[in-house]
Amino acid sequence: MSQSVDLQPRSLWRDRNFLTMWGGQALSQFGEQISLLGVPVLAVVLLHSSAFEVGVLNASGLAAFLLIGLPAGAWIDRMRKRHVMIAADVVRAVALASVPILWSLGMLHIWQLYAVAFVIGVATVFFDVSYQSLTPSLVLPEQIAEANGKLEATAQVAHLTGPAIAGWLIGVFSAPFAMITTAGTYAASFVALSFTRDREQLRPAHEHGRLLHEIGEGLRWVFGSPALRRIVGTTGASNLFNTISVTILPLFLLRELGMTPQAMGLLLSLGAVGGLLGAIATPHLTRWVGEGPAIPLSALAFCVVGVLLPVAAMVPQIAFPLLVVAEFVMSFFVLVYNITQVTFRQRITPPRLLGRMNASIRFVVWGVMPIASLAAGALATWLGIVPTMWIGALGQLASAVFVVTGPFWAMRSLPTGTEAPAPDAT
């Protein structure tokens, strides 16, 4: 009697290595959400920072993507990505733990928050590029989209619960001591990642080229591909203008609309429900409209809905529910967009270039964010908070043009590495 062979890949629910990496990423995301609310609230409410100082604070946390984003990708391609993530968690935990210590000693000033934000930003560059590049070495090629969906769904659970819990922690313990919880989540992420075992194969040292040559190789791969260029165009422009809005958002909500930190946290948590549902719905939507068309359709949707943010200032009596709807719909379609375009990037890129590909893209799409943060502080000081929100919303609306006019409409299924056309010659 013949013996049947099960050719189906093992479910990710039973894959110990993926689950431990997933757990580490989830804990890091949860901690990040607490600090994303806690640090600006600390600056605005306790240190009485100006709009420009809030802009500089946000820029400090994002500057690393512009300053070291490109060499980080080349370095990461030479190292074990899981080990990089573990080291990044340690650095972030120590940096955040310094905030309540300095506050309790009466020594915390805005420039120290700048320094803490910058150190955390550097560590986050290495963590984020590594985890996006590590996934293909943990799962089979046909499971990459599912793995990305699970990672993004968990991130959205953090987005959902993190701000509300952060608002509660700030209300009970004050913003500085809420940072202790964040440091604890990074320490727990360190433990989870320590138990992960990956199949990553490092390149032999003799294959390493000069750093500038390897950086250039990653840039040529990204910008030599017409499809990747359009993804970078939309994502970069969207991040540029969305960061203008997000930088001013604490001032817009806390001062312009008169919300409490707890209400702000609740708003962001309710909006994040859309992101969670978007992560769950992405496989169904891509089967319905096609994997390629899902990229421009989702980009167009979240860019259009972003206009509702400044509209809320025109109808303050319904601002809270209007902003909940806006955040919900934006989060839903941002997740559809992110899961689909990240899967596309991972599928067509050779493993040896994954770190440099992700870092090259992050250099552009995140590198614009510290510039946007400084611009937001300057614009809010010059024009006011609400006009600055309008600039962010209308600029983001225009950013969808790159992918909307791209080749994705004809891609019912996203290509794999063997099917993808080679980048244009440079």
Side-chain angles (χ1 to χ4, degrees), residues 12 37-38 72 117 169-170 176 220:
L12 292 181
L37 182 66
L169 288 171
I170 291 168
R220 285 192 295 274

Side-chain angles (χ1 to χ4, degrees), residues 5-27:
V5 178
D6 184 6
L7 298 178
Q8 295 296 318
R10 182 172 60 175
S11 168
L12 292 181
W13 293 114
R14 299 171 60 192
D15 189 325
R16 174 184 172 276
N17 285 320
F18 174 76
L19 290 176
T20 51
M21 193 277 278
W22 186 16
Q25 171 62 3
L27 291 166

Side-chain angles (χ1 to χ4, degrees), residues 195-214:
F195 285 97
T196 302
R197 296 293 177 266
D198 58 78
R199 299 187 298 271
E200 183 178 15
Q201 298 295 320
L202 292 181
R203 286 184 297 152
H206 69 268
E207 293 185 7
H208 296 168
R210 290 180 293 110
L211 184 65
L212 288 178
H213 173 78
E214 294 203 336

Side-chain angles (χ1 to χ4, degrees), residues 47 49 53 56-57 60 102 107-118:
L47 298 182
S49 302
E53 287 174 328
V56 174
L57 176 61
S60 300
L102 289 170
M107 299 171 59
L108 185 64
H109 302 283
I110 188 65
W111 68 266
Q112 291 162 326
L113 280 187
Y114 296 160
V116 169
F118 179 75

Side-chain angles (χ1 to χ4, degrees), residues 17-240:
N17 285 320
F18 174 76
L19 290 176
T20 51
M21 193 277 278
W22 186 16
Q25 171 62 3
L27 291 166
S28 289
Q29 289 281 349
F30 180 77
E32 185 178 358
Q33 290 307 306
I34 296 176
S35 62
L36 282 177
L37 182 66
V39 172
V41 167
L42 192 160
V44 172
V45 177
L46 298 183
L47 298 182
H48 308 291
S49 302
S50 67
F52 185 74
E53 287 174 328
V54 172
V56 174
L57 176 61
N58 202 46
S60 300
L62 298 168
F65 287 95
L66 184 61
L67 298 177
I68 64 166
L70 287 177
W75 291 326
I76 287 168
D77 274 339
R78 301 178 180 186
M79 298 182 285
R80 291 202 175 276
K81 297 171 181 61
R82 182 174 61 87
H83 295 175
V84 174
M85 294 166 69
I86 289 172
D89 275 334
V90 173
V91 170
R92 293 191 291 189
V94 172
L96 273 172
S98 69
V99 173
I101 294 173
L102 289 170
W103 176 258
S104 64
L105 295 174
M107 299 171 59
L108 185 64
H109 302 283
I110 188 65
W111 68 266
Q112 291 162 326
L113 280 187
Y114 296 160
V116 169
F118 179 75
V119 170
I120 292 173
V122 170
T124 299
V125 168
F126 284 91
F127 188 98
D128 285 0
V129 172
S130 295
Y131 108 81
Q132 281 197 337
S133 306
L134 180 66
T135 303
S137 72
L138 291 175
V139 302
L140 298 174
E142 59 269 28
Q143 293 177 308
I144 290 176
E146 180 189 355
N148 285 330
K150 286 182 171 11
L151 288 167
E152 290 291 351
T154 308
Q156 287 311 301
V157 171
H159 283 277
L160 172 63
T161 59
I165 293 176
W168 176 80
L169 288 171
I170 291 168
V172 174
F173 299 108
S174 81
F177 293 99
M179 299 299 99
I180 295 176
T181 302
T182 305
T185 62
Y186 288 141
S189 171
F190 160 82
V191 174
L193 290 168
S194 297
F195 285 97
T196 302
R197 296 293 177 266
D198 58 78
R199 299 187 298 271
E200 183 178 15
Q201 298 295 320
L202 292 181
R203 286 184 297 152
H206 69 268
E207 293 185 7
H208 296 168
R210 290 180 293 110
L211 184 65
L212 288 178
H213 173 78
E214 294 203 336
I215 291 172
E217 191 177 9
L219 288 169
R220 285 192 295 274
W221 174 260
V222 170
F223 292 100
S225 166
L228 286 180
R229 282 201 303 268
R230 289 188 176 274
I231 287 174
V232 171
T234 285
T235 309
S238 175
N239 281 355
L240 174 69

Side-chain angles (χ1 to χ4, degrees), residues 294-315:
I295 293 176
L297 285 172
S298 57
L300 190 60
F302 71 72
C303 288
V304 168
V305 174
V307 176
L308 292 178
L309 294 181
V311 167
M314 301 169 62
V315 284

